[in-house]
Amino acid sequence: MKLKKIGLTGKIVIGMFAGILFGLILNTLISGAPDSWIKLILVDGILRLVGEFFITSLMMLVVPLVFVSLVVGTCSMSDPSKLGRIGGKALLLYLFTTGIAVSIALAVASIVKPGSGGSMADQDVTFEAQQAPSFVDVLIDMVPRNPINALAEGNMLQIIVFALLFGISMALVGKPGERLKDFFEDINAVIMKLVMILMQVAPYGVFALLARTFADLGLGELLGDLAVYFVTVLVILLVHGFIVYPAILSALTRLSPVIFIRKMLSNQIFAFSISSSNAAIPVTLRTATKRLGVDNKIASFTVPLGATINMDGTAIMQGVATVFIAQLYGIDLTMQQYLMVILTATLASIGTAGVPGVGLIMLAMVLQQVGLPVEAIGLIIGVDRLLDMTRTAVNITGDAMVTTIVGKSEDQFDIDVYNDPDAGLNADGTLQGGESDRAK
């Protein structure tokens, strides 16, 4: 009997588990010998080279992909005024899911009490929070003073705004816009083909990234004093990604949540490995259009927007961390403070969009609002890397879920593609790519 060829998802899964196992072996070998050749040549040399080369290659495509795809999607709309409605729906859904995420986190953490029995007496904590911009400043900075500079620096909100305005102008200008549209569609097809080419080396990139991560971290910290905190955050993240999101999708669209999760699995594993929502945009966008059946007009807007402002995973971390730190210091939070955490975390998901170290900045804002010491963030940094990987997987799942809901509500959705388990896949299980969306 002929064995079925392993698809890309299977290869990525194999690369993930092999990388974790190899990393733990390396961690055992280099413990106590940080200057060994294994650390210098293998971990910080070969594994770093392969992993960072893969991430850099993906990041190389993010800006041109987001800009070109969004321009194509916008100028293809027969009624550009739909953008306001689509944007409003997407924004409300992202804020709604963030509010749910932090509420669940606070409720569970209050019951589990991850910081009970702890003491700050012997702890050496140092953390200097980066200053977050005000919400008004973020709104002002959404419009780029220099679009070329915004593209060069990868400022996603500014790129989205410029691409929307550029696409609307193309739709309204007539013949010149139609000629330019064909040009952008050809570029879009080429970029998508390049994405698919890079995805062929994804299993090796995933292996290198996880091997280096676990070689550096090991499991020692996760089995110590932070174990309860770590497990609490991890379980809530999994519940939010695999139960809350599918439940919202089913309630608002009546689509099968099982199909959604099954089609998102490879994307989740990929996002977990690279720990970057922005770097995952090319794959999330392709999954939304080719696997979930959402029209590119919708997905090209909601996916980059979600990668910029959807912070559900970070909101969960903030909720648990706030309760954890309060319990360590022996401080009882009032109901008013709990509500303040929910409001701050939800609004901060927009207010800190595009800022480096966004998760810790948002947590610093939350702690300041409820009067807890910001320097205590230094306690959880040690295990935050692994949780950040899981948060990324949760966030891109939310991006795809909101994209699917908005697409179906706008009648820009193909139910046959959604229900087809093999939709968008080649014979070897890889995502199809490279075709222009003009054929639609």
Side-chain angles (χ1 to χ4, degrees), residues 55-113:
I55 290 291
T56 304
S57 299
L58 284 173
M59 293 300 294
M60 170 186 70
L61 298 177
V62 169
V63 169
L65 174 62
V66 169
F67 178 71
V68 173
S69 183
L70 196 50
V71 168
V72 170
T74 304
C75 72
S76 297
M77 288 188 177
S78 55
D79 182 11
S81 63
K82 284 184 178 180
L83 281 175
R85 185 171 70 246
I86 294 171
K89 287 180 181 179
L91 183 60
L92 287 175
L93 282 169
Y94 284 133
L95 291 177
F96 173 66
T97 58
T98 301
I100 290 178
V102 68
S103 299
I104 294 175
L106 288 172
V108 174
S110 298
I111 296 172
V112 175
K113 301 186 187 318

Coordinates of all heavy atoms in Angstrom, one line a residue, residues 55-113:
I55 N 12.9 34.1 9.7 CA 12.0 35.2 10.2 C 12.2 36.5 9.4 O 11.3 37.1 9.0 CB 12.3 35.5 11.7 CG1 11.8 34.3 12.6 CG2 11.7 36.8 12.1 CD1 10.3 34.2 12.7
T56 N 13.5 36.8 9.1 CA 13.8 38.0 8.3 C 13.2 37.9 6.9 O 12.7 38.9 6.4 CB 15.3 38.2 8.2 OG1 15.9 38.3 9.6 CG2 15.6 39.5 7.5
S57 N 13.2 36.7 6.4 CA 12.7 36.5 5.0 C 11.2 36.8 5.0 O 10.6 37.4 4.1 CB 13.0 35.1 4.5 OG 14.3 34.9 4.4
L58 N 10.5 36.3 6.1 CA 9.1 36.5 6.2 C 8.8 38.0 6.4 O 7.9 38.6 5.8 CB 8.5 35.7 7.3 CG 8.3 34.2 7.1 CD1 7.8 33.5 8.3 CD2 7.2 34.0 6.0
M59 N 9.5 38.6 7.3 CA 9.3 40.1 7.6 C 9.6 40.9 6.3 O 8.9 42.0 6.1 CB 10.2 40.5 8.7 CG 9.9 39.9 10.1 SD 8.2 40.3 10.6 CE 8.3 42.1 10.9
M60 N 10.5 40.4 5.5 CA 10.7 41.1 4.2 C 9.5 41.3 3.4 O 9.3 42.3 2.6 CB 11.8 40.4 3.5 CG 12.1 40.8 2.0 SD 13.2 39.7 1.2 CE 12.2 38.2 1.0
L61 N 8.6 40.3 3.5 CA 7.4 40.3 2.6 C 6.2 41.0 3.2 O 5.2 41.3 2.5 CB 7.0 38.8 2.3 CG 8.0 38.0 1.5 CD1 7.5 36.6 1.4 CD2 8.3 38.6 0.2
V62 N 6.3 41.3 4.5 CA 5.1 41.8 5.2 C 4.6 43.1 4.7 O 3.4 43.3 4.3 CB 5.3 41.9 6.8 CG1 4.2 42.7 7.4 CG2 5.4 40.5 7.4
V63 N 5.5 44.1 4.6 CA 5.1 45.4 4.1 C 4.6 45.4 2.7 O 3.5 46.0 2.5 CB 6.3 46.4 4.3 CG1 6.0 47.7 3.6 CG2 6.6 46.7 5.8
P64 N 5.4 44.9 1.7 CA 4.8 44.9 0.4 C 3.5 44.1 0.2 O 2.6 44.5 -0.5 CB 5.9 44.2 -0.5 CG 6.8 43.6 0.5 CD 6.7 44.3 1.8
L65 N 3.4 43.0 1.0 CA 2.2 42.2 0.9 C 1.0 42.9 1.5 O -0.1 43.0 0.8 CB 2.4 40.9 1.7 CG 1.1 40.0 1.8 CD1 0.6 39.5 0.5 CD2 1.4 38.8 2.7
V66 N 1.1 43.5 2.6 CA 0.0 44.3 3.2 C -0.4 45.4 2.4 O -1.6 45.6 2.1 CB 0.4 44.8 4.7 CG1 -0.6 45.7 5.2 CG2 0.6 43.6 5.6
F67 N 0.6 46.2 1.9 CA 0.3 47.4 1.1 C -0.4 47.0 -0.2 O -1.5 47.5 -0.6 CB 1.6 48.2 0.8 CG 1.3 49.4 0.0 CD1 0.7 50.5 0.5 CD2 1.8 49.4 -1.3 CE1 0.4 51.6 -0.4 CE2 1.6 50.5 -2.2 CZ 0.9 51.6 -1.7
V68 N 0.2 46.1 -1.0 CA -0.3 45.7 -2.3 C -1.6 45.0 -2.2 O -2.6 45.4 -2.9 CB 0.7 44.9 -3.0 CG1 0.1 44.3 -4.3 CG2 2.0 45.6 -3.3
S69 N -1.7 44.1 -1.3 CA -3.0 43.4 -1.1 C -4.1 44.3 -0.7 O -5.3 44.1 -1.1 CB -2.8 42.2 -0.1 OG -4.0 41.4 0.0
L70 N -3.8 45.2 0.2 CA -4.9 46.1 0.7 C -5.3 47.1 -0.4 O -6.5 47.4 -0.5 CB -4.3 46.9 1.9 CG -5.4 47.6 2.8 CD1 -6.5 46.7 3.2 CD2 -4.7 48.2 4.0
V71 N -4.3 47.6 -1.2 CA -4.7 48.4 -2.3 C -5.6 47.7 -3.3 O -6.6 48.2 -3.8 CB -3.4 48.9 -3.0 CG1 -3.7 49.6 -4.4 CG2 -2.7 49.9 -2.2
V72 N -5.2 46.4 -3.6 CA -6.0 45.6 -4.6 C -7.4 45.4 -4.0 O -8.4 45.6 -4.8 CB -5.3 44.3 -4.8 CG1 -6.2 43.3 -5.6 CG2 -4.0 44.5 -5.6
G73 N -7.5 45.0 -2.8 CA -8.8 44.8 -2.2 C -9.7 46.0 -2.1 O -10.9 46.0 -2.4
T74 N -9.1 47.2 -1.8 CA -9.8 48.4 -1.7 C -10.3 48.9 -3.0 O -11.5 49.3 -3.1 CB -9.0 49.5 -1.0 OG1 -8.5 49.0 0.2 CG2 -9.8 50.8 -0.8
C75 N -9.5 48.9 -4.0 CA -9.9 49.4 -5.3 C -10.8 48.5 -6.0 O -11.5 48.9 -7.0 CB -8.7 49.7 -6.2 SG -7.8 48.2 -6.8
S76 N -11.0 47.3 -5.5 CA -11.9 46.3 -6.2 C -13.3 46.5 -5.6 O -14.3 45.9 -6.2 CB -11.4 44.9 -5.9 OG -10.2 44.6 -6.5
M77 N -13.5 47.2 -4.6 CA -14.8 47.4 -4.0 C -15.6 48.3 -4.9 O -15.2 49.4 -5.3 CB -14.7 48.0 -2.6 CG -14.2 47.0 -1.5 SD -14.4 47.7 0.1 CE -13.8 46.3 1.1
S78 N -16.8 47.9 -5.2 CA -17.7 48.7 -6.1 C -18.2 49.9 -5.3 O -18.5 50.9 -5.9 CB -18.9 47.8 -6.5 OG -19.6 47.3 -5.4
D79 N -18.3 49.8 -4.0 CA -18.7 50.9 -3.2 C -17.7 51.1 -2.1 O -17.7 50.5 -1.0 CB -20.1 50.6 -2.5 CG -20.6 51.7 -1.7 OD1 -20.0 52.8 -1.7 OD2 -21.6 51.5 -1.0
P80 N -16.7 52.1 -2.3 CA -15.7 52.3 -1.3 C -16.2 52.7 0.1 O -15.5 52.6 1.1 CB -14.9 53.5 -1.9 CG -15.1 53.4 -3.4 CD -16.6 52.9 -3.5
S81 N -17.5 53.2 0.2 CA -18.1 53.6 1.5 C -18.2 52.4 2.4 O -18.4 52.5 3.6 CB -19.4 54.3 1.3 OG -20.4 53.4 0.7
K82 N -18.2 51.1 1.8 CA -18.3 49.9 2.6 C -17.1 49.8 3.6 O -17.2 49.1 4.6 CB -18.2 48.7 1.7 CG -19.5 48.4 1.0 CD -19.4 47.1 0.2 CE -20.6 46.7 -0.5 NZ -20.5 45.5 -1.3
L83 N -16.0 50.5 3.3 CA -14.8 50.4 4.2 C -15.1 50.8 5.6 O -14.7 50.2 6.6 CB -13.7 51.2 3.6 CG -12.9 50.6 2.5 CD1 -11.9 51.5 2.0 CD2 -12.2 49.3 3.0
G84 N -15.9 51.9 5.7 CA -16.3 52.3 7.1 C -17.1 51.3 7.9 O -16.8 51.1 9.0
R85 N -18.0 50.6 7.2 CA -18.8 49.6 7.8 C -17.9 48.4 8.2 O -18.0 47.8 9.3 CB -19.9 49.2 6.9 CG -20.9 48.2 7.6 CD -22.2 48.0 6.7 NE -21.9 47.2 5.5 CZ -22.0 47.7 4.3 NH1 -22.3 49.0 4.2 NH2 -21.7 47.0 3.2
I86 N -17.1 48.0 7.2 CA -16.2 46.8 7.5 C -15.3 47.1 8.6 O -15.1 46.3 9.5 CB -15.5 46.5 6.2 CG1 -16.4 46.0 5.1 CG2 -14.4 45.4 6.5 CD1 -15.8 45.8 3.7
G87 N -14.6 48.3 8.6 CA -13.7 48.7 9.6 C -14.4 48.7 11.0 O -13.8 48.3 12.0
G88 N -15.6 49.3 11.0 CA -16.3 49.4 12.3 C -16.6 48.0 12.9 O -16.4 47.8 14.1
K89 N -17.1 47.1 12.0 CA -17.3 45.7 12.5 C -16.1 45.0 13.0 O -16.1 44.4 14.1 CB -17.9 44.9 11.3 CG -19.3 45.2 10.9 CD -19.7 44.3 9.7 CE -21.2 44.6 9.3 NZ -21.6 43.7 8.1
A90 N -15.0 45.2 12.3 CA -13.8 44.5 12.7 C -13.2 45.1 14.0 O -12.9 44.3 14.9 CB -12.7 44.7 11.6
L91 N -13.3 46.4 14.1 CA -12.8 47.0 15.3 C -13.6 46.6 16.5 O -13.0 46.3 17.6 CB -12.8 48.6 15.1 CG -12.2 49.4 16.3 CD1 -10.8 49.0 16.6 CD2 -12.4 50.9 16.0
L92 N -14.9 46.6 16.4 CA -15.8 46.3 17.5 C -15.6 44.8 17.9 O -15.5 44.5 19.1 CB -17.3 46.5 17.1 CG -17.7 48.0 17.1 CD1 -19.2 48.1 16.6 CD2 -17.6 48.6 18.5
L93 N -15.4 43.9 16.9 CA -15.2 42.5 17.3 C -13.8 42.3 18.0 O -13.7 41.5 18.9 CB -15.2 41.7 16.0 CG -16.6 41.4 15.4 CD1 -16.6 40.8 14.0 CD2 -17.4 40.4 16.4
Y94 N -12.8 43.0 17.5 CA -11.5 42.9 18.1 C -11.5 43.4 19.6 O -11.0 42.7 20.5 CB -10.4 43.6 17.3 CG -10.0 43.0 16.1 CD1 -9.9 43.7 14.9 CD2 -9.7 41.6 16.1 CE1 -9.5 43.0 13.7 CE2 -9.3 41.0 14.9 CZ -9.2 41.7 13.7 OH -8.8 41.1 12.6
L95 N -12.2 44.5 19.8 CA -12.3 45.0 21.2 C -13.2 44.1 22.0 O -12.9 43.9 23.2 CB -12.9 46.4 21.1 CG -12.0 47.5 20.5 CD1 -12.8 48.9 20.5 CD2 -10.7 47.7 21.3
F96 N -14.2 43.6 21.4 CA -15.1 42.6 22.2 C -14.4 41.4 22.7 O -14.5 41.0 23.8 CB -16.3 42.3 21.3 CG -17.2 41.2 21.9 CD1 -18.0 41.5 23.0 CD2 -17.3 39.9 21.3 CE1 -18.8 40.5 23.5 CE2 -18.1 39.0 21.8 CZ -18.9 39.2 22.9
T97 N -13.6 40.8 21.8 CA -12.9 39.6 22.1 C -11.8 39.9 23.2 O -11.5 39.1 24.0 CB -12.3 38.9 20.9 OG1 -11.4 39.8 20.2 CG2 -13.4 38.4 19.9
T98 N -11.2 41.1 23.0 CA -10.1 41.4 24.0 C -10.8 41.6 25.4 O -10.2 41.2 26.4 CB -9.4 42.7 23.6 OG1 -8.8 42.6 22.3 CG2 -8.3 43.1 24.6
G99 N -11.9 42.2 25.5 CA -12.6 42.4 26.7 C -13.0 41.1 27.4 O -12.8 40.9 28.6
I100 N -13.4 40.1 26.5 CA -13.7 38.8 27.0 C -12.5 38.1 27.5 O -12.5 37.5 28.6 CB -14.4 37.9 25.9 CG1 -15.8 38.4 25.6 CG2 -14.4 36.4 26.3 CD1 -16.4 37.6 24.4
A101 N -11.4 38.2 26.8 CA -10.1 37.6 27.2 C -9.6 38.0 28.6 O -9.3 37.2 29.4 CB -9.1 37.9 26.1
V102 N -9.6 39.3 28.8 CA -9.1 39.8 30.1 C -10.0 39.5 31.2 O -9.6 39.3 32.3 CB -8.7 41.3 30.0 CG1 -10.0 42.2 29.8 CG2 -7.9 41.8 31.2
S103 N -11.3 39.5 30.9 CA -12.3 39.2 31.9 C -12.2 37.7 32.4 O -12.2 37.4 33.6 CB -13.7 39.4 31.4 OG -14.0 40.7 31.0
I104 N -12.0 36.8 31.4 CA -11.8 35.4 31.8 C -10.5 35.2 32.6 O -10.5 34.5 33.6 CB -11.7 34.5 30.5 CG1 -13.1 34.5 29.8 CG2 -11.3 33.1 30.9 CD1 -13.1 33.8 28.5
A105 N -9.5 35.9 32.2 CA -8.2 35.8 32.9 C -8.3 36.3 34.3 O -7.8 35.6 35.2 CB -7.1 36.7 32.1
L106 N -9.0 37.4 34.5 CA -9.1 37.9 35.9 C -9.9 37.0 36.8 O -9.6 36.7 37.9 CB -9.8 39.3 35.9 CG -8.9 40.5 35.4 CD1 -9.8 41.7 35.2 CD2 -7.8 40.7 36.3
A107 N -11.0 36.4 36.2 CA -11.9 35.5 36.9 C -11.1 34.2 37.3 O -11.2 33.8 38.5 CB -13.1 35.2 36.1
V108 N -10.4 33.6 36.4 CA -9.7 32.4 36.7 C -8.6 32.6 37.6 O -8.4 31.8 38.6 CB -9.2 31.8 35.3 CG1 -8.3 30.5 35.6 CG2 -10.4 31.4 34.4
A109 N -7.8 33.7 37.4 CA -6.7 34.0 38.3 C -7.1 34.2 39.7 O -6.5 33.9 40.7 CB -5.9 35.2 37.8
S110 N -8.3 34.9 39.9 CA -8.8 35.1 41.2 C -9.2 33.8 41.9 O -9.1 33.7 43.2 CB -10.1 36.0 41.1 OG -9.7 37.3 40.6
I111 N -9.6 32.8 41.2 CA -10.0 31.5 41.8 C -8.7 30.7 42.0 O -8.5 30.1 43.1 CB -10.9 30.8 40.8 CG1 -12.2 31.6 40.7 CG2 -11.2 29.4 41.3 CD1 -13.2 31.0 39.6
V112 N -7.8 30.6 41.0 CA -6.6 29.8 41.1 C -5.6 30.4 42.2 O -4.9 29.6 42.8 CB -5.9 29.6 39.8 CG1 -4.6 28.9 39.9 CG2 -6.9 28.9 38.8
K113 N -5.5 31.7 42.2 CA -4.6 32.4 43.1 C -3.1 32.0 42.8 O -2.5 31.4 43.7 CB -4.9 32.2 44.6 CG -6.3 32.6 45.0 CD -6.5 32.5 46.5 CE -8.0 32.7 46.9 NZ -8.6 33.9 46.2

